[in-house]
Amino acid sequence: MIRVHVDRLVPGMVLARPIPNPSIPGRYLLQKDQEVPLSLVPRLKQWGIYEVWIRYPQLEFLEYLFDQDLEEQQRELYHRVRCNFERTMQNTGAVLDWQGFEEAVTGLMETLHRHRFASILQKLDAYDNYLMVHSTNVCYLGMLLGVELESYLIQQRRLKDPREAKDLRQLGLGLLLHDVGKVRIDPQVLNKPGRLTPEEMEHVRQHPVLGYEMVRGNVPPSSATVVLNHHQRWDGRGYPPRVDPATGEPLAPLRETQIPVFARIATVVDVFDAATTHRCYSAAKPPVRVLHEMRTVCRGMFDPVILEAFFKLIPPFPVGKVVRLSNGMEAAVVDFNPEDPYRPKVQALRTAEGHVLHDPSLHEFDLAIYRDLYIQEVDGQDITPYLPEDFWLYTPRPQHLVEAAPSAS
Ligand SMILES: [Fe+2]
Ligand SMILES: [Fe+2]
């Protein structure tokens, strides 16, 4: 099976995985082995579904990389968050189901410890509310990252017993609730498609404090601090601002290790998830582009240790994606190499002239070995400007990038 962008679907393409109905737990919009009617594409986009899994007989082995338990747990978490948040939006006096959240996060943690991260990053994509799916995905991504950072957590939380320091339940709970304060923000502002006015921006920036007031006393302090501090920045340019409780005078913002480590994890996964998800005011960007922006335009925002671990966790080219190689061949990404994330294994599907290769396994290239060959296009877009600078240490830079580079003189 392969991932196909919904704009690239053609008649006759058959689903390899069902498409869940985001509004009704346990129901599906389309079952597997059904053809996707092109008339459904606008509805799919409304629900955040921009890619679907399509049958490709020679690549059916990719199906076994999926963790069904994990998917069901994420969907359950999504519905739990949605029910709770919506109740609180309608009735400010409603109490959130704290214990239910804790149980769900514990279940997710056990699944992640059991399976760890294989090759497929399983973000939830079908949704009917951005805030709820973002909360669910930030929880999943941050806990996944937390598993990789266990020894860093012990080092950074040295006042805690090591077992407690690396216990991801408190992190997961904080991540799940990190944006809960947005239920107190005017939905007209929150869902505004255009640019926010400075007043509206100020209103939205209240959400960490509003959320902190909602969760304080109901969840462990280390979870509550994720809610309060997930917009702090490593270089001290985040918010909310601090004030001296005694004098009311402004204090210097939190920076570097003054920011609790759980909140530093939240910052990284929050930015990534928001940019890779379709929102009412911006289209989803491909992971390769978002990772590039996190290295460049976001420079200084993140804890470098956490960012490094994140780069080894997130495939810039998702498994199953059909890409164009620098030699013109069309190929599917079939594996992720955390040691060399931009050079995954691929299997060629078509020659540069467009002839179908009937057995892609005979044309498998580990791009970490074939270093002259690289991924040039994803969904028809040139992605070479998003490759990290050190990528070109081992691979000749294509002419158009050489010409675009500023001259040394
Ligand atoms: Fe936030
Ligand atoms: Fe967020």
Side-chain angles (χ1 to χ4, degrees):
M1 60 181 192
I2 50 173
R3 290 176 197 256
V4 175
H5 193 282
V6 291
D7 287 338
R8 300 185 146 228
L9 286 169
V10 292
M13 284 186 165
V14 169
L15 284 176
R17 294 182 58 77
I19 302 181
N21 182 325
S23 304
I24 311 170
R27 296 279 286 275
Y28 292 91
L29 296 173
L30 288 173
Q31 294 291 346
K32 73 174 181 182
D33 297 322
Q34 267 186 283
E35 192 175 326
V36 193
L38 298 188
S39 57
L40 197 66
V41 169
R43 285 268 298 285
L44 293 178
K45 286 183 175 177
Q46 270 173 14
W47 279 319
I49 302 164
Y50 282 77
E51 266 179 2
V52 289
W53 286 96
I54 294 296
R55 284 228 173 279
Y56 201 96
Q58 298 82 5
L59 293 171
E60 288 312 283
F61 64 94
L62 295 181
E63 196 160 344
Y64 303 110
L65 300 177
F66 259 93
D67 187 330
Q68 200 60 38
D69 291 350
L70 176 60
E71 188 172 329
E72 279 161 27
Q73 245 168 357
Q74 287 172 301
R75 200 144 286 288
E76 206 244 275
L77 195 57
Y78 172 74
H79 286 291
R80 197 183 283 264
V81 172
R82 202 182 67 175
C83 290
N84 267 273
F85 283 18
E86 280 176 354
R87 221 176 39 227
T88 331
M89 280 172 179
Q90 285 148 10
N91 170 11
T92 47
V95 177
L96 291 168
D97 175 14
W98 307 110
Q99 199 185 337
F101 284 147
E102 262 187 73
E103 283 167 14
V105 165
T106 304
L108 184 59
M109 183 187 74
E110 284 165 3
T111 303
L112 294 180
H113 271 302
R114 224 176 19 247
H115 298 279
R116 302 290 287 246
F117 173 49
S119 310
I120 292 200
L121 192 70
Q122 283 185 234
K123 260 181 64 171
L124 205 60
D125 56 358
Y127 64 92
D128 50 6
N129 185 301
Y130 169 72
L131 174 60
M132 320 309 179
V133 82
H134 172 63
S135 304
T136 309
N137 282 332
V138 162
C139 178
Y140 160 65
L141 291 171
M143 287 177 81
L144 206 57
L145 184 53
V147 175
E148 299 301 316
L149 284 166
E150 278 185 351
S151 48
Y152 189 56
L153 291 178
I154 294 168
Q155 181 211 331
Q156 293 287 299
R157 307 183 81 212
R158 54 183 176 276
L159 296 179
K160 306 251 180 227
D161 163 70
R163 258 225 321 260
E164 199 194 332
K166 65 182 175 104
D167 187 335
L168 301 180
R169 275 173 295 197
Q170 294 178 5
L171 169 67
L173 195 57
L175 294 164
L176 192 63
L177 296 167
H178 78 283
D179 272 341
V180 69
K182 286 190 175 170
V183 303
R184 298 273 184 267
I185 302 293
D186 180 356
Q188 303 266 33
V189 175
L190 209 54
N191 303 320
K192 184 177 166 180
R195 226 182 163 78
L196 298 184
T197 64
E199 294 74 32
E200 288 168 338
M201 186 73 90
E202 201 39 55
H203 178 46
V204 173
R205 285 165 70 113
Q206 299 297 318
H207 77 271
V209 173
L210 293 170
Y212 181 64
E213 283 162 6
M214 289 170 75
V215 304
R216 186 169 47 169
N218 292 306
V219 299
S222 55
S223 306
T225 191
V226 175
V227 180
L228 182 64
N229 289 312
H230 69 277
H231 284 285
Q232 302 290 3
R233 299 293 181 239
W234 181 253
D235 57 12
R237 289 192 286 172
Y239 64 92
R242 290 190 308 150
V243 265
D244 187 324
T247 63
E249 290 292 309
L251 292 174
L254 289 181
R255 60 181 302 141
E256 301 186 0
T257 52
Q258 290 171 330
I259 307 166
V261 64
F262 281 177
R264 282 180 260 149
I265 290 177
T267 307
V268 172
V269 291
D270 185 32
V271 167
F272 176 80
D273 183 66
T276 49
T277 308
H278 201 84
R279 291 170 287 172
C280 57
Y281 47 87
S282 65
K285 296 176 186 170
V288 62
R289 178 169 170 192
V290 177
L291 294 170
H292 165 73
E293 290 175 358
M294 290 174 81
R295 276 194 309 270
T296 53
V297 286
C298 300
R299 198 185 300 270
M301 274 172 54
F302 309 114
D303 177 336
V305 173
I306 295 174
L307 194 60
E308 240 359 87
F310 188 68
F311 287 153
K312 289 192 168 180
L313 189 70
I314 303 292
F317 305 111
V319 167
K321 195 81 198 162
V322 177
V323 298
R324 185 160 309 277
L325 303 179
S326 50
N327 63 2
M329 280 179 146
E330 191 180 88
V333 177
V334 295
D335 206 358
F336 169 57
N337 176 1
E339 295 309 317
D340 208 345
Y342 291 85
R343 301 178 199 271
K345 269 193 195 135
V346 298
Q347 290 189 5
L349 309 180
R350 285 174 191 268
T351 64
E353 293 73 35
H355 302 304
V356 174
L357 295 164
H358 291 287
D359 189 350
S361 65
L362 297 177
H363 308 276
E364 180 169 292
F365 301 99
D366 183 344
L367 298 180
I369 296 169
Y370 291 86
R371 290 189 160 213
D372 283 351
L373 195 58
Y374 56 90
I375 294 173
Q376 177 138 28
E377 275 181 26
V378 176
D379 288 332
Q381 281 188 355
D382 176 18
I383 58 80
T384 51
Y386 307 135
L387 297 173
E389 199 43 43
D390 61 8
F391 183 89
W392 304 113
L393 290 177
Y394 310 102
T395 300
R397 207 184 288 259
Q399 196 55 31
H400 69 285
L401 287 189
V402 175
E403 284 160 10
S407 119
S409 59

